Amino acid sequence: MSTTFISDTVPEAPQDPLFSVTSAFYDDPSDKKIDLSIGAYRDGKGKVWVLPVVKKAAALVALDPEYTHEYLPITGLVEFTDAARKVCLGAESGAIKERRVTSLQTVSGTGALHLGALFLSKFYRPNGIDKPPTIYVSSPTWSNHPQILGLAHLPIATYRYFDAANRSLDFAGMLADIASAPPKSVILLHACAHNPTGIDPSPAQWKQLASVMAERHHFAFFDSAYQGFASGSLDRDAAAIRLFASYGFEMCIAQSFAKNCGIYGQRVGCFHFITSPALDADVQDTLTRVGSQLALLQRACISNPPVYGARVVSLILNTPELFDEWAEDLRVMSGRILHMRQQLRIRLEQLGTPGSWQHITDQIGMFSFTGLTEEQCLLMQRAHIYMPLNGRISMAGLNLENLEYFVRAMDRVVRETAGMKGVVEAKKMNGKSNGFH
Ligand SMILES: Cc1ncc(COP(=O)(O)O)c(C=O)c1O
């Protein structure tokens, strides 16, 4: 019998670009090889780091006679979702005190984005228009955003974000595009450590954005994948979310614990819906209706969220000593990455590598958008250094043992190509760059 799924109807999908880079890395027998593609923390020896506090909490969960593998409720582990909401909104949040938040445990940040996208696609009907709303994402953005949002049938538009010529934020463009989007548009915002550029608006710029979005009655959808990982401070990295919450926006948040707990594969995340201040009865009515629909969507997608990782993270969030240890682990990770940024810039400047390298220390979080062109990234592969072709590197892949080798390769590649193209082919990067995992 022949297949009904012929290539006309089921063409082969392109391979995820990140995975081709990663498999090229694994296939390379060289002992010099460096993988700078994957967005996961590595310690000073290049090894996967299980956070000490996660090890401790996991051991406690394993010994807990109360711990079973029973299904969780559809909306997840309540002590986890309650604590997770305090992590992003702050323990003193007015929205929490006024009981204006409903939260569901999700399959990490991706699951939270998916749930939010489904909800907005089905139920966000401002201005009486009976079709899924357009969602505005930054250009560039994490490469999985368009796929997740598209799966929920949300039409996608972009707002300007990256000024490739200056390797900085195109704030004027961002503000203008958001201001000119139709009223009540959905705007997806990276809460901190923008992926892939590593460039965030300043606190003053966030205020301007919040004012414009309030004037335009836009709906904010925050993607918070790097809280605490970016600056080492959970509060600082949540400042944009908390600012918007203080304006009384109706908004939602996709929260991931993958990076800040180093618990990537356990898929621990949370989706929060926050409604605006109103009479308590009205707020509770909104949350009941919205919460019930979210639960229905969750039921259809995953039935119940996974239990183990949520128990581990919940224990950390709800035990003051473990919480403090977590804060220290966050400082270790962010501090090492910051140190690598400084060392990378210093070494490039010492070698006199053509170009300016200030952006490496201006950027924040897991990634650096180096400014290397596609050709330059391919040349780096010849030196056994693997990075996506948009020039993004995971800073966590660098350490004091491989930094010198990396810097010398980069210096060589930049000089080799400088005559032809200049150091950074700025125009090429705009709109073309994707934020991989
Ligand atoms: C911007 C952004 N959002 C969300 C995620 C979701 O990650 P996860 O589903 O592993 O929590 C990532 C992961 O790389 C990311 O970079």
Side-chain angles (χ1 to χ4, degrees):
M1 243 200 291
S2 62
T3 180
T4 315
F5 301 99
I6 55 170
S7 59
D8 284 356
T9 47
V10 191
E12 186 177 341
Q15 215 195 357
D16 187 300
L18 186 73
F19 284 98
S20 10
V21 177
T22 314
S23 49
F25 168 80
Y26 281 114
D27 291 346
D28 185 340
S30 169
D31 58 0
K32 290 197 171 61
K33 65 181 177 177
I34 307 177
D35 179 16
L36 300 178
S37 57
I38 194 83
Y41 184 75
R42 300 287 178 259
D43 68 10
K45 298 262 171 225
K47 298 272 178 271
V48 175
W49 197 57
V50 182
L51 273 61
V53 72
V54 169
K55 244 185 209 167
K56 201 181 267 186
L60 290 170
V61 168
L63 291 174
D64 182 356
E66 300 290 306
Y67 177 71
T68 71
H69 303 295
E70 281 285 293
Y71 285 125
L72 284 176
I74 295 170
T75 51
L77 188 66
V78 176
E79 58 261 39
F80 164 70
T81 53
D82 281 357
R85 145 193 324 168
K86 285 188 196 141
V87 168
C88 66
L89 290 169
E92 297 308 313
S93 152
I96 296 178
K97 287 192 175 149
E98 292 153 24
R99 302 188 302 142
R100 290 191 280 112
V101 191
T102 187
S103 310
L104 290 89
Q105 185 191 324
T106 55
V107 180
S108 213
T110 303
L113 285 164
H114 179 61
L115 185 63
L118 283 179
F119 177 77
L120 293 172
S121 178
K122 195 162 178 198
F123 296 107
Y124 191 67
R125 293 289 181 272
N127 315 319
I129 300 169
D130 194 20
K131 60 176 188 190
T134 297
I135 183 162
Y136 289 75
V137 303
S138 60
S139 172
T141 193
W142 181 40
S143 64
N144 212 11
H145 278 152
Q147 304 187 125
I148 296 168
L149 305 169
L151 194 64
H153 306 292
L154 288 175
I156 297 164
T158 56
Y159 55 84
R160 278 169 283 173
Y161 195 84
F162 186 59
D163 172 355
N166 299 305
R167 274 161 281 158
S168 61
L169 179 66
D170 177 4
F171 185 65
M174 178 186 191
L175 200 64
D177 289 349
I178 289 177
S180 62
K184 300 193 177 175
S185 290
V186 181
I187 315 288
L188 186 73
L189 297 161
H190 297 229
C192 69
H194 182 270
N195 180 3
T197 66
I199 302 167
D200 290 339
S202 67
Q205 289 170 334
W206 275 119
K207 273 196 187 144
Q208 273 180 275
L209 283 167
S211 299
V212 164
M213 284 185 54
E215 267 165 40
R216 302 291 292 160
H217 303 284
H218 288 335
F219 184 91
F221 189 169
F222 273 101
D223 180 359
S224 179
Y226 297 95
Q227 190 188 351
F229 190 95
S231 71
S233 156
L234 288 164
D235 292 333
R236 207 175 314 152
D237 292 349
I241 288 182
R242 294 180 192 176
L243 174 78
F244 274 62
S246 75
Y247 271 65
F249 276 98
E250 190 156 67
M251 61 189 223
C252 54
I253 305 165
Q255 181 185 26
S256 168
F257 286 91
K259 321 276 172 169
N260 57 14
C261 283
I263 199 161
Y264 318 94
Q266 293 298 343
R267 316 306 289 139
V268 185
C270 216
F271 176 79
H272 308 283
F273 174 89
I274 302 156
T275 191
S276 299
L279 286 177
D280 189 49
D282 294 340
V283 165
Q284 295 319 309
D285 176 60
T286 304
L287 290 192
T288 305
R289 288 182 292 99
V290 170
S292 67
Q293 292 294 348
L294 285 166
L296 209 60
L297 291 170
Q298 170 106 311
R299 178 82 173 132
C301 291
I302 59 166
S303 264
N304 320 74
V307 62
Y308 173 71
R311 287 236 185 255
V312 172
V313 174
S314 180
L315 193 61
I316 295 170
L317 302 187
N318 287 299
T319 314
E321 309 84 72
L322 294 181
F323 195 98
D324 290 347
E325 280 187 43
W326 181 41
E328 185 49 38
D329 290 347
L330 286 169
R331 283 191 286 274
V332 168
M333 291 193 287
S334 57
R336 196 186 85 70
I337 286 186
L338 197 67
H339 184 56
M340 281 301 107
R341 286 189 183 281
Q342 287 157 350
Q343 291 305 308
L344 175 57
R345 179 175 166 194
I346 288 172
R347 285 300 293 129
L348 287 167
E349 288 175 352
Q350 279 171 347
L351 286 177
T353 310
S356 157
W357 303 105
Q358 187 185 322
H359 59 283
I360 290 177
T361 48
D362 286 348
Q363 295 166 355
I364 187 167
M366 181 80 83
F367 304 109
S368 178
F369 224 27
T370 57
L372 292 188
T373 62
E374 196 169 314
E375 293 92 317
Q376 289 170 329
C377 294
L378 286 168
L379 286 172
M380 293 292 275
Q381 281 199 17
R382 285 207 216 145
H384 314 283
I385 294 166
Y386 294 87
M387 54 199 280
L389 300 184
N390 63 358
R392 190 197 77 172
I393 57 171
S394 174
M395 290 304 301
L398 290 178
N399 53 58
L400 291 176
E401 288 173 13
N402 64 18
L403 183 76
E404 192 56 29
Y405 179 77
F406 173 77
V407 170
R408 291 207 172 263
M410 187 158 161
D411 179 70
R412 207 168 45 242
V413 163
V414 169
R415 285 178 199 280
E416 258 172 48
T417 49
M420 296 183 305
K421 312 248 181 217
V423 180
V424 175
E425 206 164 356
K427 274 181 253 112
K428 272 191 118 176
M429 294 176 62
N430 242 347
K432 192 174 177 188
S433 324
N434 283 325
F436 302 110
H437 237 290

